[in-house]
Amino acid sequence: MTFVVNRKRIRNYSIRFFFLFSLFLVAPLSPQQNDLKNFGNVFVDVIASPVHFEAKDWQRFGITSGTVSCAFLLDKKVQNFSSGIQSPVLDFLFAIDKYSVQAAIGGAVGTYIYGLSIKNDKTRELGLRLSESVFTTTIITVALKSLFGRNRPSVTNDNSIFEPLNITWEKTSFPSGHTSIAFAFSTIMAEENNSDLWKILWYSAAVVVGGARVYHNDHWLSDVAAGGLLGYFVGRFVINHQSNKNDNAPIIPPPHILSINIPF
């Protein structure tokens, strides 16, 4: 097993985390104090969720794993297809992954700060949900990347090479961070409006980010599938968490991380 520290990568993630946490420090502690508590509760409940899995949750986990496994079988075919469709138009479309992570983090933090500044609870709470979803997904994604240590398609043609406990960029392909963060953000935004078109636009944007990672040969298809599912499930968990429900709602246990709700 290889364990190599990529200082630039760690620094970049540390800066992102700093900005996420700083959203609680830009104004007097009320209501941030309660928001910070809820933020922590959501994070802990997501991490602890597998401990409370029931039979139906393990079934859903099996379906999810099966989906990623099927994508694994298609990795090389999709990689070859992607390399054969390069064009200026697609180059422009898939340039979205150059700024998608920054846009998601900035959007989450910016929405929260804006809601605070204008004293609009609805906007502030949206920013909090976005931050909870993006931050939690980022932490889980980074942990999984290091755990699996999968080699990226840009450095090998073999999609079965895994070197656990490795955090170098070349060996942290699974799952796709850009895709997981895009779906974590889009899942929250999609629920802000009942319009099917609104939902389609947000989920389509996340899909394009995932497609861009394959198009640029930075990820295998299965990396993107796993990242998209992870971001979606965390987003749904955040939406359904009791701390994000109406204060007058009855107290219920935290939702299951694999609870599936058809988005539209």
Side-chain angles (χ1 to χ4, degrees), residues 9-175:
R9 185 178 182 82
I10 292 177
R11 184 176 68 251
N12 288 341
Y13 276 117
S14 297
I15 291 173
R16 294 168 188 172
F17 296 159
F18 170 79
F19 279 115
L20 278 173
F21 276 120
S22 69
L23 64 88
F24 299 108
L25 306 176
V26 296
L29 283 181
S30 181
Q32 289 94 309
Q33 192 171 36
N34 188 57
D35 289 344
L36 180 59
K37 178 182 178 181
N38 291 338
F39 189 102
N41 288 339
V42 169
F43 177 77
V44 171
D45 287 342
V46 169
I47 301 302
S49 182
V51 177
H52 307 290
F53 272 11
E54 300 173 354
K56 61 181 180 180
D57 298 306
W58 286 113
Q59 291 175 355
R60 291 164 179 161
F61 179 78
I63 293 173
T64 300
S65 300
T67 300
V68 176
S69 297
C70 289
F72 180 86
L73 298 176
L74 297 173
D75 278 339
K76 293 183 180 180
K77 290 184 179 180
V78 172
Q79 181 193 31
N80 292 334
F81 174 78
S82 176
S83 64
I85 61 170
Q86 304 286 317
S87 71
V89 173
L90 291 178
D91 288 345
F92 176 80
L93 175 65
F94 289 132
I96 188 174
D97 68 341
K98 293 181 180 179
Y99 51 82
S100 61
V101 171
Q102 294 83 347
I105 294 174
V109 175
T111 300
Y112 184 86
I113 293 176
Y114 178 69
L116 279 176
S117 65
I118 64 173
K119 298 182 179 180
N120 185 304
D121 290 342
K122 184 176 181 180
T123 301
R124 191 195 86 250
E125 289 166 0
L126 171 59
L128 178 61
R129 291 194 299 276
L130 288 169
S131 297
E132 290 169 343
S133 185
V134 170
F135 175 83
T136 302
T137 298
T138 300
I139 291 293
I140 296 174
T141 300
V142 171
L144 291 176
K145 282 176 173 289
S146 299
L147 177 63
F148 285 99
R150 189 185 195 184
N151 283 210
R152 293 179 184 269
S154 57
V155 298
T156 179
N157 289 322
D158 188 347
N159 68 332
S160 63
I161 298 179
F162 292 83
E163 299 180 52
L165 302 182
N166 196 316
I167 58 175
T168 60
W169 183 86
E170 294 82 2
K171 299 177 181 180
T172 51
S173 189
F174 183 89

Side-chain angles (χ1 to χ4, degrees), residues 215-227:
Y215 182 81
H216 292 138
N217 206 33
D218 288 323
H219 282 288
W220 302 100
L221 175 65
S222 50
D223 299 334
V224 169

